[in-house]
Amino acid sequence: MIISIATIRKHLALPKTSWQICLLAIVGGAASALLVVLFTLTIEEIQQLYLIKRDNYNSLDDVSRFHLPIIGSLIILFIAWLTGYQYLRTGIPFVLHRLKVAHGIIPFKNTLNQFWGSAVALASGFSVGREGPAVHLGAACSSYIGSVLKLPHNSVRTLCACGIAAGISATFNTPIAAVIFVMEVIMREYKAHVFVPVMLASIVGSLITQNILGTSHNFEYFRTIALEQQHYFSLVLLAIILGILAALFNKYLVLIVKRSVKYHIVPRLMLAALITGILGYLVPAAMGTGTSAIDISLTGNVQLGFLFSLLMAKLLMTMFALGLGIPGGIIGPTMGIGAITGACAGALIMQLLPGEQLGNDFILMGMAGFMAACLNAPLAALLAVVELSSQLELVLPAMIVITIASIVSRQLCKNESIFTMQLDAQNLLYRKPPIEESLQNIGALAVMKDNLLILAQASPRTIIGELLNSHETQLIINQEPSNQHDKINNFYWAQFDADQLDDENEDADANLASKLILHKLIPLNQQATLAEAYVALIDQRAGAVYIYHEDINNCIGLVTFEQLRFYLLEGKLI
């Protein structure tokens, strides 16, 4: 049996798990994962031109470490000049913004800047991560598929979430953490009709990266976990340090964003390159995503003074790179900062409590706690570290660190997610009223009344006769535009005033004309959700919108304000 694309679109307009959305999730997830793998390979190919090992900037001489970020920033600016500086917004905050204002559809030029700009930034030693570009590229790829197929906007949002999950899973080979990150940070809700396709896309992303890049994780050198109950007091001290440091990190990163936004992008990126070059000249291990910093932290004979200088350099590099507009993510650097903090705290605690033998376990705990406190994503941080280290034994100690660090950061230090703080600093919309949040999950196609009778230039007597003869059919009057330059027809929805018809003393035949109401219909594209219908009708709190397909004069159905009101009051669709 052949199912038409119109029928598929109607299925996808409902907030339900269906084979159609699952199939699209697999296709979108595969395309997103392949794009992210191409992005990863691009970075590695660039780094192979001058590095012995990926992210190992210690192999460069002092002068090369200084001028490499400057050269990288000039290339990023050239790419931005080609596409237009207005398309420089990228990363997770931008995706969150687009989810609210455009249902996750990402402009192509922003995606170009994200791919090439971030690849150059990551290859040039800037302290940024790969997950921000992975989120952006995955969202752009999957939402593009939904946009080309003209799917309802609620299903485009779901596909956007699927692309993000596939992108993160392909980047880190962590399918579970990718799903939780999407639900906890991106969508900020747990809905079964979103959860299932997101899981499928994440699985596809992980399978693709395993087949192309291998099955290993970045942190598999954590072979055993030696933490026991007697170490829990030390973990509490570490968690407090992580919570305070995360709050300070978020605060000053956002402060840099606020202060720098009034300046042009050219001096901002050059300043970021200069700071990175100077700090990279002095502390090479602080350059890059954080892999080198973690490797150094794992070295047992590193002095505390060097670890502290590495921590300060990494903090400053990350804050100025991201705050001044270098394209890239924040999760990789937060893991590096957390690892160094864990190493510093572990060394301090072993000096204060000589009997403690902590090994490298504090490094993992630092990664988990700092990431959770910065992103306000405790569950995603827990599962990310568990998957990356392949150690289920750290669940309990990691939960202790994550919960305390999150409480200290959020409750005592009044810290919020770095993504929402960045959006506030840039005045980008990322919230909608609760009513619109609820209605945007349902496409107008799913509930529209499509049993229409469209009359052209009908007289009142004809309208009344049709209304009396048809109880279920929706009568629409199509009045041709009076102005020959106006190409949009005027559609009106005809109905009787229900309150007056219930009056038994009225003579129906004599007064039907006075009871006739014609509501001017507002046009909405077939991809629209009920949230858009609600916004169009909320001022008049009556009437209806008409849904059109391709041509604005092609009315295929209507959604009434009464349908919206009934759903909001009763939770049911009529």
Side-chain angles (χ1 to χ4, degrees):
M1 182 176 63
I2 299 176
I3 302 178
S4 66
I5 186 65
T7 304
I8 293 176
R9 290 189 183 117
K10 256 197 163 180
H11 278 295
L12 295 174
L14 287 169
K16 294 180 179 179
T17 304
S18 62
W19 68 264
Q20 292 96 336
I21 192 65
C22 289
L23 179 61
L24 287 168
I26 292 172
V27 174
S32 300
L34 289 171
L35 181 60
V36 170
V37 168
L38 177 63
F39 173 74
T40 303
L41 294 175
T42 301
I43 299 169
E44 293 180 356
E45 288 297 319
I46 296 174
Q47 288 186 332
Q48 283 181 3
L49 298 175
Y50 48 85
L51 294 183
I52 298 174
K53 180 184 176 184
R54 188 183 73 178
D55 290 337
N56 184 12
Y57 295 94
N58 289 285
S59 60
L60 293 175
D61 59 80
D62 296 345
V63 176
S64 296
R65 291 198 303 272
F66 176 76
H67 70 232
L68 181 61
I70 297 175
I71 295 173
S73 64
L74 290 173
I75 296 173
I76 294 170
L77 287 170
F78 177 71
I79 296 169
W81 175 76
L82 289 177
T83 59
Y85 291 127
Q86 68 269 31
Y87 296 104
L88 263 177
R89 291 193 189 277
T90 56
I92 297 176
F94 181 68
V95 171
L96 289 171
H97 169 66
R98 295 296 297 182
L99 270 170
K100 293 304 176 186
V101 303
H103 313 284
I105 298 173
I106 312 291
F108 178 68
K109 290 184 178 180
N110 289 85
T111 305
L112 278 179
N113 272 302
Q114 180 70 95
F115 188 98
W116 292 109
S118 296
V120 172
L122 285 159
S124 303
F126 285 101
S127 184
V128 294
R130 290 182 294 155
E131 72 296 323
V135 167
H136 185 126
L137 296 174
C141 190
S142 284
S143 62
Y144 177 75
I145 293 174
S147 180
V148 167
L149 296 176
K150 300 187 185 305
L151 302 181
H153 285 149
N154 63 307
S155 58
V156 175
R157 290 180 72 249
T158 301
L159 280 180
C160 180
C162 293
I164 294 170
I168 296 175
S169 184
T171 301
F172 295 108
N173 193 17
T174 54
I176 301 176
V179 172
I180 298 302
F181 180 84
V182 168
M183 308 308 289
E184 189 175 35
V185 177
I186 304 298
M187 305 301 289
R188 290 188 287 180
E189 61 178 2
Y190 288 86
K191 300 286 188 181
H193 70 276
V194 178
F195 198 82
V196 172
V198 165
M199 281 197 297
L200 287 172
S202 183
I203 292 169
V204 171
S206 182
L207 290 174
I208 287 176
T209 197
Q210 286 179 22
N211 280 280
I212 298 176
L213 302 178
T215 59
S216 63
H217 289 125
N218 291 337
F219 307 123
E220 287 188 339
Y221 34 64
F222 294 100
R223 298 298 180 187
T224 58
I225 301 298
L227 290 173
E228 298 179 0
Q229 291 187 7
Q230 62 265 30
H231 299 129
Y232 286 0
F233 176 73
S234 302
L235 290 179
V236 172
L237 297 178
L238 172 63
I240 294 172
I241 295 171
L242 291 170
I244 295 172
L245 184 63
L248 292 173
F249 173 78
N250 284 8
K251 176 184 176 181
Y252 286 105
L253 172 56
V254 172
L255 181 63
I256 294 171
V257 173
K258 290 180 178 179
R259 295 288 177 85
S260 65
V261 71
K262 57 186 176 182
Y263 298 105
H264 193 269
I265 191 64
V266 173
R268 284 160 50 192
L269 293 197
M270 295 310 298
L271 177 59
L274 185 63
I275 293 172
T276 300
I278 294 172
L279 292 173
Y281 180 89
L282 298 172
V283 190
M287 298 181 73
T289 61
T291 306
S292 297
I294 296 173
D295 291 339
I296 293 293
S297 302
L298 288 168
T299 305
N301 57 355
V302 178
Q303 294 182 352
L304 181 59
F306 177 76
L307 283 175
F308 185 74
S309 64
L310 178 60
L311 175 61
M312 295 306 298
K314 193 66 179 173
L315 283 167
L316 291 172
M317 272 190 182
T318 306
M319 287 190 295
F320 279 101
L322 294 174
L324 293 173
I326 295 294
I330 194 174
I331 297 178
T334 58
M335 285 187 170
I337 294 170
I340 307 166
T341 306
C344 290
L348 280 173
I349 290 172
M350 283 190 290
Q351 289 184 6
L352 297 173
L353 304 172
E356 292 277 38
Q357 295 297 322
L358 301 174
N360 294 325
D361 300 335
F362 259 41
I363 295 174
L364 263 180
M365 298 300 101
M367 292 162 59
F370 193 77
M371 176 182 170
C374 281
L375 308 186
N376 192 25
L379 189 55
L382 173 63
L383 292 175
V385 175
V386 169
E387 282 193 284
L388 288 170
S389 63
S390 302
Q391 297 293 334
L392 287 175
E393 292 84 356
L394 64 78
V395 169
L396 183 57
M399 288 174 67
I400 293 173
V401 173
I402 286 172
T403 52
I404 295 175
S406 298
I407 291 172
V408 169
S409 176
R410 190 167 179 83
Q411 297 295 323
L412 299 184
C413 301
K414 309 300 181 185
N415 186 37
E416 296 182 14
S417 168
I418 185 60
F419 301 132
T420 58
M421 293 174 71
Q422 285 178 291
L423 287 165
D424 287 332
Q426 297 171 3
N427 294 318
L428 294 177
L429 176 68
Y430 65 96
R431 291 191 180 100
K432 282 189 176 181
I435 289 178
E436 292 182 39
E437 291 276 3
S438 174
L439 292 174
Q440 72 179 358
N441 292 320
I442 307 171
L445 281 176
V447 300
M448 71 177 185
K449 300 177 182 294
D450 55 4
N451 50 338
L452 308 179
L453 177 60
I454 301 178
L455 301 179
Q457 302 289 353
S459 64
R461 181 181 295 275
T462 303
I463 296 172
I464 292 171
E466 293 293 346
L467 284 174
L468 292 175
N469 292 330
S470 57
H471 300 289
E472 297 296 331
T473 302
Q474 306 299 316
L475 185 62
I476 296 177
I477 312 303
N478 179 13
Q479 296 185 358
E480 299 292 337
S482 56
N483 188 341
Q484 62 178 353
H485 299 292
D486 188 0
K487 298 181 180 180
I488 302 176
N489 292 343
N490 295 315
F491 288 102
Y492 291 86
W493 177 40
Q495 65 171 169
F496 287 123
D497 188 328
D499 294 333
Q500 291 191 36
L501 285 180
D502 289 339
D503 190 348
E504 296 180 357
N505 296 324
E506 291 285 351
D507 182 1
D509 292 333
N511 298 299
L512 280 176
S514 64
K515 299 169 183 134
L516 180 65
I517 299 177
L518 294 179
H519 295 283
K520 177 70 179 292
L521 294 177
I522 302 171
L524 278 184
N525 188 277
Q526 64 169 359
Q527 293 180 270
T529 65
L530 294 188
E532 291 156 273
Y534 174 82
V535 171
L537 298 174
I538 186 58
D539 289 337
Q540 60 196 57
R541 295 181 178 273
V545 297
Y546 77 87
I547 311 302
Y548 67 88
H549 175 62
E550 295 182 351
D551 183 2
I552 198 171
N553 292 318
N554 179 23
C555 176
I556 61 174
L558 72 145
V559 177
T560 68
F561 185 79
E562 179 61 24
Q563 287 177 281
L564 303 177
R565 188 191 68 82
F566 187 82
Y567 174 74
L568 293 173
L569 293 176
E570 304 293 336
K572 299 178 182 178
L573 298 171
I574 57 173

